[in-house]
Every structure is written in C-alpha cells, then in structure tokens.
Amino acid sequence: MKKYLLIFGANGELGKGVTSVLTTKDFEKIYPFDFKFDNDFNGDNVHKVIISDLTVESNVQNAFNEIPVETDAQYFLFSTVGGFWGGKKIWETSIEDLMNMIKMNLITNFNLAKYLSTLVQNSTGGAIIFTSAYTANHPEENKFAYGMSKAALSYLVKTLAIEGESIKLSSMAIAPYILDTKANRKWMNNSNFEKWIKPEEVGELIYDLFKNFRINSGNILELKLRLI
C-alpha cells in the first residue's frame, strides 16, 4: 500500500522538527508545504511545495493539484498551521483581531480538510492531524480570540471524524500547552525547558497516530508537559 504524506507549515519550528522525523519513515512520497524553506529536507521522496495564503481557497486547491491521485494509496496530512495573538481582555479585543484568529486557525485548516477529503474519496483512506491548543479546552485570561478559534478547530476535528467515516478518513488533533521552540524559550526564559515537549517528539507521536489512524479518529490529544 502506497502512503503519501503532506505536511503544511513544514518550515516553522514545529514543522521542521516533525518533518525531520517523518522523512525517515515509510512514506512513498512526502510533500512539505510552506511559503518559504530555510533548509533542505533529506530524501529522494521529498517534494517541497511553495504555497501562499492558506485562507484563500484557490491557493489550497492549487497546492493539492501537486498531489498524485491514486486509488490504491493512502493519504496522510499533518497541519501545524495557525497563529497566536493575545494579551487583551474580551472587551479590549477588536473584531479585526478576532477575525484574524479565525482566519489563521480555522479557515486555513477548513480548506485543508476540504481538499484532503476530496482527495481521500478517490483512494483507500487516510488521516489528517491538526494542531489545536491546550487553551481550547481550558480557557485562560487574555487569550479569548486565540482560544475561541482553536475551540472552533476542535469542532472541525470532531465533525470531520463523524463525516469522514464514509470515506475512511480519520480526523485528529494534538493540543499542546507549550512546545520547546526558540520563540517560547525567549518568551518564558525562566522556565524549566526540560519539561517542554520537543518538536521531534511530536514527530514520533504523529507517526504513531498515523499508524493507528483506524482506531483513534475524533480524538484531541492534550500535550501538557513531558516527564523528566
């Protein structure tokens, strides 16, 4: 059985760590997507694709035109796509700020879900894993726009899991609390970094979830802190 992997946001810190792991696994072809690439991913089976604004449906449609449609293949997609904005109370949040979070965290991933579903309908099945956030289920002060948009993404995940049964498509998400990235270390420089989950560890987890995609659809896995 051929297995094709799509990684959106592959050039970000999470994306780089996950991609470095998944390029060593048993996928026929791997397609990293981003608006630019700072490094080369190893492997003759890796095909990088430049893509611009994922909130524009035609951009996503064109990106999926790069993927071969094969009836005897399985398709897997991991999305790191999203963004963070915070620091204000609900009554200080503008409509523009709220809509930007909805576009970045929901509309982008809706477009990916839509076109992967179309692709999987013509195959033997597959899975999609999104990146939600711990705060989607555990509200925090000064994060309404971000948390609400991630909560909406969680609803997408669970609805797609139900509707995807008919086309053998599994839908899941990870919901990290904080990951060990350069930006987060700078932001919280007095923290115990050893307790933070590494992007490469997320990569191994994503692979395990893909291997077991037939039995874990609809789950959103919270990633709080690592044991040390």
Side-chain angles (χ1 to χ4, degrees), residues 142-155:
N142 299 327
K143 292 184 179 180
F144 166 72
Y146 173 69
M148 189 275 294
S149 63
K150 288 292 192 178
L153 173 59
S154 297
Y155 194 91

Side-chain angles (χ1 to χ4, degrees), residues 89-113:
K89 308 291 186 189
I90 292 174
W91 56 86
E92 298 170 331
T93 300
S94 69
I95 291 294
E96 289 75 19
D97 292 331
L98 179 61
M99 293 308 298
N100 282 337
M101 282 290 91
I102 291 174
K103 288 178 181 178
M104 292 176 68
N105 292 319
L106 178 62
I107 302 302
T108 53
N109 287 299
F110 162 76
N111 284 333
L112 296 182

Side-chain angles (χ1 to χ4, degrees), residues 16-223:
K16 287 177 181 177
V18 169
T19 302
S20 69
V21 170
L22 295 182
T23 51
T24 68
K25 305 301 183 181
D26 57 339
F27 293 99
E28 187 81 13
K29 291 183 180 179
I30 300 173
Y31 296 85
F33 293 83
D34 217 317
F35 67 94
K36 68 173 183 177
F37 290 95
D38 298 326
N39 62 331
D40 292 326
F41 298 114
N42 297 323
D44 295 334
N45 63 335
V46 178
H47 306 274
K48 292 182 291 187
V49 180
I50 298 293
I51 184 171
S52 55
D53 191 351
L54 291 174
T55 65
V56 178
E57 184 175 357
S58 60
N59 290 345
V60 177
Q61 185 176 22
N62 290 335
F64 273 82
N65 288 338
E66 300 284 335
I67 312 302
V69 180
E70 299 186 16
T71 57
D72 61 342
Q74 292 177 336
Y75 294 88
F76 300 88
L77 188 155
F78 176 59
S79 170
T80 74
V81 175
F84 174 78
W85 178 88
K88 291 186 178 181
K89 308 291 186 189
I90 292 174
W91 56 86
E92 298 170 331
T93 300
S94 69
I95 291 294
E96 289 75 19
D97 292 331
L98 179 61
M99 293 308 298
N100 282 337
M101 282 290 91
I102 291 174
K103 288 178 181 178
M104 292 176 68
N105 292 319
L106 178 62
I107 302 302
T108 53
N109 287 299
F110 162 76
N111 284 333
L112 296 182
K114 179 176 180 178
Y115 284 94
L116 181 70
S117 299
T118 302
L119 183 61
V120 167
Q121 288 180 49
N122 298 306
S123 74
T124 61
I128 183 168
I129 301 176
F130 303 91
T131 303
S132 186
Y134 186 82
T135 194
N137 294 325
H138 305 274
E140 298 175 88
E141 197 175 21
N142 299 327
K143 292 184 179 180
F144 166 72
Y146 173 69
M148 189 275 294
S149 63
K150 288 292 192 178
L153 173 59
S154 297
Y155 194 91
L156 170 66
V157 171
K158 291 183 175 291
T159 305
L160 184 59
I162 296 169
E163 297 179 349
E165 289 183 26
S166 63
I167 57 173
K168 298 185 175 68
L169 174 63
S170 173
S171 172
M172 298 164 276
I174 58 169
Y177 178 68
I178 190 165
L179 297 175
D180 191 1
T181 65
K182 293 178 182 177
N184 285 339
R185 285 192 175 212
K186 184 177 180 180
W187 174 46
M188 299 179 66
N189 55 12
N190 292 321
S191 299
N192 182 354
F193 302 141
E194 286 302 308
K195 297 185 72 174
W196 291 5
I197 297 168
K198 320 299 179 186
E200 291 77 13
E201 292 175 314
V202 175
E204 293 290 351
L205 173 63
I206 295 301
Y207 181 65
D208 287 340
L209 292 173
F210 279 148
K211 282 200 303 182
N212 295 286
F213 77 96
R214 296 187 184 279
I215 63 172
N216 55 23
S217 187
N219 286 308
I220 298 176
L221 184 60
E222 293 184 353
L223 306 179

